[in-house]
Amino acid sequence: QTEVDVDFWTLILGGKINVKTLMGKNLGLRIPARTSPGTRMKMTGQGIQNTRQTGDLYVKLNAKLPEDIPEEIITVLSKHRGQ
């Protein structure tokens, strides 16, 4: 398993991130909209290799919160708290 910091907006809106695999490759991983922090996603065939096969790589998504959130966004988020 590897862990990746994903910005708050990508977790909410969805998007694509780059993940460095255990073998040193950088691959794209699509993040669906409304993904929760701590979600584990599977990258099939990108894990550790043994003599018979290559395993899967699990990626844990950590939330990276923005330093500055515009006041308008805070107001909108506050209105939807708890929904």
Side-chain angles (χ1 to χ4, degrees), residues 9-70:
W9 307 114
T10 301
L11 290 173
I12 292 174
L13 302 172
K16 192 172 181 181
I17 62 167
N18 288 319
V19 176
K20 189 169 187 173
T21 68
L22 300 173
M23 304 307 285
K25 293 190 271 181
N26 282 314
L27 298 177
L29 178 63
R30 191 181 70 75
I31 308 299
R34 298 183 189 100
T35 297
S36 297
T39 297
R40 284 182 40 180
M41 299 186 74
K42 181 170 79 169
M43 297 182 78
T44 304
Q46 298 302 322
I48 296 176
Q49 297 177 340
N50 64 24
T51 56
R52 303 172 108 195
Q53 65 186 27
T54 302
D56 300 330
L57 175 62
Y58 288 88
V59 180
K60 182 180 176 191
L61 306 177
N62 296 322
K64 184 174 119 184
L65 299 176
E67 302 257 339
D68 293 325
I69 300 175

